[in-house]
Every structure is written in C-alpha cells, then in structure tokens.
Amino acid sequence: ALSKSVPTELGKLTKVADEFLLAGNFFTGAIPSQLGQMSSLSKHFQAMANLLSSTIPTQLGGLEKLDESFLIHQNRLSGTMPTQLGGFTSLKSYFSAGANGLTGTVPSEFGLMTSLNSTAFWVGSNSLEGTLPTQLGQWSSVRTHFWVEDNQLSGAVPTELGRWSAFKTNLRLYNNSFCDDVPSEIAALSTLSSLFGDSTATQGNSFGTGCCQLSGTCAPSFVPTTIQSPTQSPTRFHTKAPSFAPTTTQPPTQSPTQSPTNATGNTLPLVDSGYDSLLDYGGQDYTGTIPTEFGLLTGATGLYLSDNSLTGTLPTELGNMASLDDFFAIEDQVGAGLITGELPTEFGKLAKLTQQFTVSRLALSKSVPTELGKLTKVADEFLLAGNFFTGAIPSQLGQMSSLSKHFQ
C-alpha cells in the first residue's frame, strides 16, 4: 500500500536484469523517465494497478531487452503512446497499457514487436482514435489476446490481420467505430467462429456499413438515400485475463441471454444451459455474487470473471463445469478482496483445463485443497497468490507436470 511518487533514484538500478515490479500500490505522479536507464532489464517491467498519471516517458523505450512483460495498465496515464515502445522487439507475452486515459493513435511502430506470441496486447479502455496500423499484420506469431475495445478507433479493420495464422481466440474490437465488412482475410482464419461467431467481439461498431457512408465521401451513385444501420447486432464475444495482465479463452457459439457488457454495475447475467463456449465477463464492473447456476453450464469451455467487484463465496457448483478446457480465472487486479470463504474441493474436477487456473488476489482462507493436484493438464498458469490460505502446500500439486510458465 505504498503511496506518493516513484523515486527517480530507482533509475540507478541499472544492473537489475529480471524483474522490476511496482504493481498494486497507490503510487501517484509520473513514471520517472530515469527508469528507462535500466537497460539490463530483460523480463518484466510492471507498474500496473497504481494511481500513476501524466504521460508515458519516451525513455522507457530504452528497456528494449524486455522479453516477457511490459505492464502499465489500470493507472491514470494520459497523452499518446510513445512510438519508442515499438522497440520492444523481443517482447513475447504481455504488452498492456489498457484502462488508462491514453489518446492519439496506435503507433505503426508497434508492428515491430513481432515476437509477441501468447497473451499479448491490451490497449483497451482508453480514448485512442484513428485506424489500426496495417503494420500489426507483421505479428505472425501472435496466438491470442488482441484487445482494443472501448476506444474511439475507426476505419476498416486492416486485412493484414488475416496474416495471423496462429491466432486462436480473444479478439476484442467492441465499442469503437470500425466500419465496412469484417475483412475476408480475417474470415479465412480457421478460428473465425471463436473470434466473432454470434458473439459481441464486434458490438458497438458499424460493421456492414461502408466507411465512406459514415464519412460522406462515397461516390454519388452509391450514396443511399438513408444510411442503414446493421440489420443484425452481434451478440458478444468472451475472453480471459492474465496473471500479470490480460490472458486467454474461446468465444461463444451462442450468445448469452443478456449481453455481458455492463456499464452500470449490474449482476452477472445468466446464459442458456446449453451454452458451449467461453464465458468472459471480465473487466465489466459486475457486482453481487457468482450465480450457482453457472454450475449447470456443463458444456462451457472457459470461465473468466476477473476485474469486477464481485462479493460472496466461490460456489461449489462451479466444479460441475467439467467441460472447461481453456481457463478458469477469477482474479481481482486491484486487490479489493471481496470474495471470501474457502476454495472448494470440487474445483479438482476441472481436470480438462489446459491453460490456466486462477483464484488470485481475493480473500480466500483455510487450506489449499489437495484435489487441485488433479489439474494435471494446466500448462500456462496456476495462480493462488494474494489470499489468506493457511496450512501446507499440498504435495499433490507436484503432479501438475504440464505446467510450463507460472506457479504462484
């Protein structure tokens, strides 16, 4: 719970090579430009979830050896994103500047970050404008998480994004001003149904309406007497969030009975019991408890409830979601700790999970269930951090031999 400004003197830590972490405090003021002098830093720079303000120093582009994460999301930063950050050419996992007050465009120089491949890129929930750079099509290895939602981006989605042949899921474009049709190059991706389908990954845009119609620049012979809004409104797309930043999932083939988009702090909406895709209600400021009815969704493939204001306990019924094969994530990025009680032993039945199991930064207590050792297919992240667990670390967790990234 540290506060006030980040000392400029920290820029003298020029030999720090692995991690520089200031996350989850109450720091105010600007990010010191002197931190850009830490040119030996090669893995993690994390200053997210603070109260930092002012602009992003261009000098941070000097951290060009970073190969894991650059996280400055959930602050009060303003101004434009420096083009110098495009020099993070070795960055693989996380670039996150979402949930700030950033303006301007997405720099075309970001196309140089061609090493991005896993839980990758979040600049959503800002005030960015302009078009998406075609240079982003150079990210040939990117596999999941491209989040630019809740901005003021416009124009056509670049056809070059269709080059992302390895991309699987978590494409968030909603609540911008994109127009024209979804490019056929993106439609050609084998995972299109998990990107769009009947979801609302595209909600709040003008897909299906020509960009020239919106700008009034169409040739006269093509100008309709009445500009029609799309005849069908997409229903929404679902995704997951990370341990250090945004993370992974699969979108829905059926839309929920209500849109997950929540601007007023409503409770979590329910979906039909036959729902068979990813449930992503992350970062929507939902309140109230987690419905026990979610346990009836035995065909759902992923559950992401992070970054909300949920209360109560974790329903044991969630252990009945035996088809979850992507991720299970409930993480409070700001550490409010509103979910209490025990971690249900029933969660050991989620044995199909392959990417992530996260119950982090909550206020769970008592022992860690030995049954979690049955999650032997989890490969990316197993996160129990920031709770009040007591007792021993279960020896059974050593059975998770597929885990290759994070044990926290």
Side-chain angles (χ1 to χ4, degrees):
L2 302 178
S3 59
K4 297 191 176 180
S5 60
V6 176
T8 59
E9 289 80 1
L10 295 185
K12 298 177 182 179
L13 307 181
T14 56
K15 295 183 180 181
V16 172
D18 288 351
E19 301 183 357
F20 182 81
L21 312 181
L22 305 179
N25 285 285
F26 298 96
F27 291 123
T28 57
I31 298 175
S33 61
Q34 291 84 348
L35 300 186
Q37 299 170 10
M38 297 190 297
S39 56
S40 299
L41 195 61
S42 62
K43 293 190 179 298
H44 302 288
F45 179 96
Q46 299 181 12
M48 71 281 194
N50 280 288
L51 302 172
L52 296 168
S53 58
S54 191
T55 58
I56 303 171
T58 59
Q59 291 85 347
L60 293 186
L63 307 177
E64 57 187 18
K65 292 183 181 179
L66 286 176
D67 65 6
E68 287 292 337
S69 68
F70 177 82
L71 306 181
I72 54 174
H73 59 274
Q74 290 178 331
N75 278 291
R76 298 175 178 176
L77 300 170
S78 59
T80 60
M81 290 190 290
T83 60
Q84 290 83 350
L85 301 187
F88 295 161
T89 56
S90 298
L91 196 64
K92 297 177 182 178
S93 297
Y94 301 118
F95 179 98
S96 179
N100 279 292
L102 301 175
T103 57
T105 61
V106 177
S108 59
E109 289 80 359
F110 282 13
L112 299 174
M113 294 191 286
T114 54
S115 295
L116 284 175
N117 58 32
S118 57
T119 306
F121 188 78
W122 181 36
V123 295
S125 299
N126 282 294
S127 297
L128 301 175
E129 56 187 10
T131 59
L132 288 176
T134 59
Q135 290 84 347
L136 300 185
Q138 298 169 184
W139 296 355
S140 58
S141 299
V142 66
R143 291 185 287 128
T144 180
H145 283 89
F146 180 77
W147 292 3
V148 296
E149 78 284 359
D150 293 317
N151 279 293
Q152 300 165 23
L153 298 169
S154 59
V157 175
T159 59
E160 287 79 2
L161 301 193
R163 299 174 185 168
W164 295 354
S165 58
F167 199 84
K168 295 181 179 180
T169 186
N170 275 294
L171 180 67
R172 285 188 172 182
L173 305 178
Y174 58 82
N175 294 341
N176 281 287
S177 297
F178 293 119
C179 48
D180 281 351
D181 293 324
V182 174
S184 59
E185 289 81 359
I186 294 178
L189 293 174
S190 61
T191 54
L192 177 66
S193 61
S194 67
L195 298 177
F196 299 104
D198 292 328
S199 72
T200 59
T202 58
Q203 179 179 350
N205 289 288
S206 297
F207 287 117
T209 300
C211 293
C212 68
Q213 294 178 19
L214 298 178
S215 63
T217 58
C218 287
S221 59
F222 297 102
V223 177
T225 56
T226 303
I227 296 177
Q228 298 290 331
S229 60
T231 56
Q232 293 182 347
S233 170
T235 48
R236 166 164 168 129
F237 159 84
H238 301 301
T239 345
K240 166 215 152 164
S243 67
F244 301 103
T247 341
T248 323
T249 134
Q250 265 200 330
T253 57
Q254 300 174 1
S255 62
T257 56
Q258 302 180 39
S259 169
T261 303
N262 172 35
T264 58
N266 295 327
T267 56
L268 287 166
L270 301 178
V271 298
D272 295 333
S273 59
Y275 188 77
D276 60 359
S277 190
L278 166 69
L279 278 172
D280 169 23
Y281 294 116
Q284 299 293 332
D285 199 27
Y286 284 109
T287 59
T289 60
I290 300 173
T292 59
E293 290 85 350
F294 279 7
L296 300 175
L297 304 176
T298 55
T301 60
L303 180 65
Y304 174 46
L305 302 178
S306 298
D307 302 322
N308 287 295
S309 299
L310 301 173
T311 57
T313 59
L314 294 177
T316 59
E317 289 83 356
L318 298 185
N320 296 328
M321 303 177 73
S323 292
L324 294 182
D325 60 7
D326 195 346
F327 59 82
F328 179 97
I330 307 175
E331 179 176 25
D332 183 0
Q333 291 283 15
V334 296
L338 298 177
I339 294 181
T340 60
E342 300 181 46
L343 182 54
T345 59
E346 289 80 359
F347 287 7
K349 294 189 292 185
L350 305 177
K352 291 184 179 180
L353 286 173
T354 59
Q355 293 197 34
Q356 179 180 15
F357 179 85
T358 294
V359 287
S360 184
R361 298 180 184 174
L362 304 174
L364 302 177
S365 58
K366 297 195 176 179
S367 60
V368 176
T370 59
E371 289 80 359
L372 296 185
K374 298 176 181 178
L375 307 183
T376 56
K377 295 182 179 180
V378 173
D380 288 350
E381 301 183 358
F382 180 82
L383 311 181
L384 306 179
N387 288 285
F388 299 98
F389 291 123
T390 57
I393 299 175
S395 61
Q396 291 83 350
L397 301 186
Q399 299 169 10
M400 297 189 294
S401 56
S402 298
L403 194 63
S404 63
K405 294 186 181 297
H406 303 290
F407 179 95
Q408 300 180 9

